[in-house]
Amino acid sequence: GAGVSQTPSNKVTEKGKYVELRCDPISGHTALYWYRQSLGQGPEFLIYFQGTGAADDSGLPNDRFFAVRPEGSVSTLKIQRTERGDSAVYLCASSSGQVTDTQYFGPGTRLTVL
Amino acid sequence: AQKITQTQPGMFVQEKEAVTLDCTYDTSDPSYGLFWYKQPSSGEMIFLIYQGSYDQQNATEGRYSLNFQKARKSANLVISASQLGDSAMYFCAMREMDSNYQLIWGAGTKLIIKP
């Protein structure tokens, strides 16, 4: 079956602009995660959804970042007033939501803020 | 304090040799899971292998095996008979059961397989 998909694959924007990054999880997966990966580092957790609700948003760096998952499937990560420091690869993962299950990742969106 | 430590920033290995990638972790949660992922230059994070803290045996998946030493808090990945396609970044990650399932990641090891 289809894996996790993310669009766009690349996004270049100017400082101060608003961006939306989309994640389409594996069908039937109730859990969805967003991570951010800066160059040369491991991913950092941003937010976790179980169904439609954000079960843990403790990793969001500030209030410019927001994510939604209105129907419990597709999720959108929204970044307002982008800054150059937001440049990174944004990874989305999904899982079946069980305690011991594995997170499967999408190809990521590379965000560049000029 | 680092929860996941990968001490090898880079490794060169001859094709067909076995390779061990190191990972140590730090947790006080008795229930946790350890994961290894591969990230080729294309950027996608590919799941390789999982070890649960209560698993009695070391996990194996094809050419991948996990050398789990619980008392030493280490979870090294062993790749047997390395292939050119194994060249990639390798990340060790941990999930503590009290942490809302988020993965905590190491800094990664860049593995290059030489022909």
Side-chain angles (χ1 to χ4, degrees):
Chain A
V4 179
S5 62
Q6 291 185 247
T7 54
S9 55
N10 280 283
K11 177 71 177 178
V12 180
T13 191
E14 294 179 343
K15 180 175 178 293
K17 298 290 188 183
Y18 168 84
V19 297
E20 289 189 350
L21 312 179
R22 175 190 168 106
C23 172
D24 201 340
I26 292 171
S27 178
H29 278 189
T30 59
L32 185 146
Y33 308 79
W34 283 99
Y35 294 86
R36 178 168 71 174
Q37 186 177 22
S38 299
L39 192 62
Q41 299 181 20
E44 293 178 287
F45 169 77
L46 294 177
I47 188 168
Y48 154 58
F49 286 90
Q50 183 60 257
T52 60
D56 182 354
D57 64 358
S58 62
L60 295 177
N62 52 60
D63 62 5
R64 294 186 299 104
F65 288 74
F66 188 72
V68 296
R69 195 185 185 199
E71 298 178 356
S73 178
V74 171
S75 176
T76 304
L77 178 66
K78 307 180 181 191
I79 310 174
Q80 299 177 323
R81 303 182 305 280
T82 51
E83 300 177 356
R84 293 194 179 87
D86 299 335
S87 296
V89 175
Y90 289 81
L91 296 168
C92 176
S94 71
S95 71
S96 64
Q98 301 303 310
V99 169
T100 57
D101 66 0
T102 294
Q103 295 177 25
Y104 295 94
F105 284 77
T109 293
R110 182 175 298 277
L111 176 66
T112 304
V113 182
L114 301 177
Chain B
Q2 290 288 335
K3 287 216 169 188
I4 297 288
T5 302
Q6 294 181 253
T7 57
Q8 307 149 311
M11 287 189 70
F12 287 89
V13 172
Q14 199 68 38
E15 188 181 10
K16 299 181 185 175
E17 291 184 351
V19 55
T20 298
L21 304 181
D22 295 341
C23 173
T24 57
Y25 59 91
D26 183 25
T27 183
S28 57
D29 191 337
S31 181
Y32 54 89
L34 296 158
F35 300 78
W36 278 92
Y37 284 84
K38 171 184 178 181
Q39 189 176 42
S41 56
S42 60
E44 187 162 356
M45 199 68 80
I46 302 167
F47 166 71
L48 296 178
I49 197 166
Y50 166 81
Q51 180 86 42
S53 59
Y54 294 119
D55 293 345
Q56 294 297 312
Q57 295 190 337
N58 286 345
T60 60
E61 289 286 349
R63 293 188 299 112
Y64 304 108
S65 60
L66 206 151
N67 183 1
F68 182 46
Q69 297 187 43
K70 192 171 181 177
R72 295 181 58 192
K73 293 188 174 178
S74 76
N76 298 340
L77 177 70
V78 180
I79 306 174
S80 62
S82 57
Q83 302 170 358
L84 296 179
D86 294 333
S87 295
M89 285 291 292
Y90 287 81
F91 290 95
C92 179
M94 176 174 67
R95 183 176 64 219
E96 297 164 306
M97 294 313 164
D98 286 340
S99 70
N100 268 333
Y101 312 152
Q102 62 171 280
L103 290 173
I104 302 166
W105 299 76
T109 295
K110 183 166 186 174
L111 176 65
I112 297 175
I113 306 299
K114 300 182 293 183

